[in-house]
Amino acid sequence: MQWRGRRESSNVEDRRRMGGGGAARVGGVGGAGAIIVVLIALFLGVDPSQLLGPDSGGITQTSGTPVELTAEDEAEGKFVSVVLADTEEIWTRVFQEQLGRAYKPATLVLFKEATRSACGGASEATGPFYCPADKKVYLDTAFFTTLHQRLGAGGDFAAAYVVAHEIGHHVQNELGILAQANQVRQQVSQAESNAISVRVELQADCLSGIWAREAAQSLGVVERGDLEEAVNAAKQIGDDTLQRNAGQRPMPHTFTHGTSEQRSRWFMIGLQSGQMADCDTFQTDDL
């Protein structure tokens, strides 16, 4: 992906110099259980504390000690800012052309180890997520290392897909879809709530496919192999694959994101179509 030296977004809130004080924790979950939480939390897109349960103790953070950013930290911050700028340009145009309305960008919060959001605690363990309450994406760029080393999804376009997926949730929030879905989820059984969550996530994957299409065709920043990186990332974070990697037998009734096949397929639908109307995962029986 061609990103160096390109325009950066002004909607980045960089909290990394504040540090996390090493105090971030997921209370009550340890060992293999912590690994499962880490894997299944990835790409949740909503309040990560939902995974921890009422007795987990949540995520806590003491006042952090100021830290110096490394050259790698600086580069990762610029990379995320460029990708965010691309999403802003793309969704501004798509909203106007397909919906006849203005797009209001999200803010992306960069942090190290732990921070707070309007949806609760954010930490490296919970992975990147979007908080609809403050319209912010929260990201510890250490997740990119997890994506590459633990999940087998390397490459800068795979990392860009992480940002684009979370911005997909912001798009859903701007359209009122996320609020409606979360309201219904609070009124139904756990199994039904999980099924709705799957549709939310698959739609965000489809929307990130639209971003990838526009990045290639309109911005011209996609290089050979980039799209394959994004498709592979979508496959690697399917619920079935994550549960197998955590040493579990896949349990479809617990899925909250969709299978690897579903995630990659809906990404491809957005990539090939470029139309938001084709990303309606709520009006189809063929997920």
Side-chain angles (χ1 to χ4, degrees):
M1 179 180 182
Q2 300 173 15
W3 66 270
R4 296 184 183 278
R6 297 181 53 233
R7 183 179 69 87
E8 298 180 35
S9 173
S10 60
N11 293 310
V12 175
E13 182 181 335
D14 196 340
R15 302 180 187 176
R16 294 177 298 172
R17 294 186 186 278
M18 298 165 58
R25 66 180 179 87
V26 180
V29 180
I35 294 175
I36 292 172
V37 167
V38 169
L39 292 176
I40 298 180
L42 306 182
F43 290 84
L44 181 61
V46 293
D47 182 359
S49 65
Q50 293 176 2
L51 291 180
L52 305 177
D55 299 321
S56 68
I59 302 170
T60 62
Q61 176 189 14
T62 60
S63 58
T65 302
V67 298
E68 291 296 325
L69 299 183
T70 65
E72 183 179 8
D73 289 331
E74 295 284 6
E76 289 176 336
K78 289 182 179 296
F79 168 77
V80 168
S81 185
V82 169
V83 174
L84 184 63
D86 286 350
T87 68
E88 292 165 353
E89 181 175 343
I90 288 169
W91 286 114
T92 294
R93 180 168 57 251
V94 171
F95 263 51
Q96 185 60 49
E97 292 178 352
Q98 297 187 21
L99 303 176
R101 56 175 288 186
Y103 170 70
K104 299 178 181 178
T107 296
L108 191 148
V109 178
L110 290 174
F111 67 93
K112 276 183 173 291
E113 297 183 357
T115 191
R116 303 298 301 180
S117 80
C119 294
S123 80
E124 179 184 349
T126 54
F129 70 95
Y130 174 71
C131 175
D134 57 17
K135 298 186 177 182
K136 294 181 179 181
V137 171
Y138 290 82
L139 172 67
D140 183 335
T141 55
F143 173 74
F144 295 151
T145 301
T146 300
L147 189 69
H148 173 61
Q149 296 183 353
R150 179 173 291 179
L151 300 180
D156 54 8
F157 207 70
Y161 162 71
V162 173
V163 178
H165 176 92
E166 299 308 330
I167 292 300
H169 287 305
H170 177 65
V171 170
Q172 292 173 313
N173 198 40
E174 286 296 290
L175 297 178
I177 295 172
L178 200 56
Q180 292 177 20
N182 287 337
Q183 182 178 11
V184 174
R185 290 181 63 196
Q186 296 174 2
Q187 301 170 353
V188 298
S189 68
Q190 186 63 54
E192 291 172 312
S193 175
N194 290 346
I196 294 172
S197 177
V198 167
R199 292 179 185 271
V200 168
E201 295 298 327
L202 294 180
Q203 185 176 60
D205 283 327
C206 186
L207 295 172
S208 65
I210 294 177
W211 154 81
R213 177 189 177 93
E214 292 296 321
Q217 296 188 355
S218 301
L219 302 184
V221 298
V222 175
E223 300 175 310
R224 183 185 299 273
D226 280 350
L227 295 178
E228 289 81 0
E229 290 178 2
V231 172
N232 178 59
K235 289 181 179 179
Q236 296 303 326
I237 46 81
D239 284 313
D240 52 342
T241 299
L242 292 178
Q243 290 185 357
R244 288 193 189 96
N245 289 343
Q248 293 185 321
R249 176 175 57 83
M251 298 174 288
H253 69 282
T254 68
F255 290 175
T256 56
H257 298 72
T259 66
S260 292
E261 186 277 332
Q262 289 173 324
R263 300 205 68 171
S264 59
R265 180 160 57 86
W266 278 98
F267 174 84
M268 289 301 300
I269 289 174
L271 178 67
Q272 294 169 353
S273 166
Q275 298 296 310
M276 298 178 71
D278 291 334
C279 292
D280 189 352
T281 56
F282 295 91
Q283 298 297 323
T284 180
D285 294 327
D286 183 22
L287 290 179

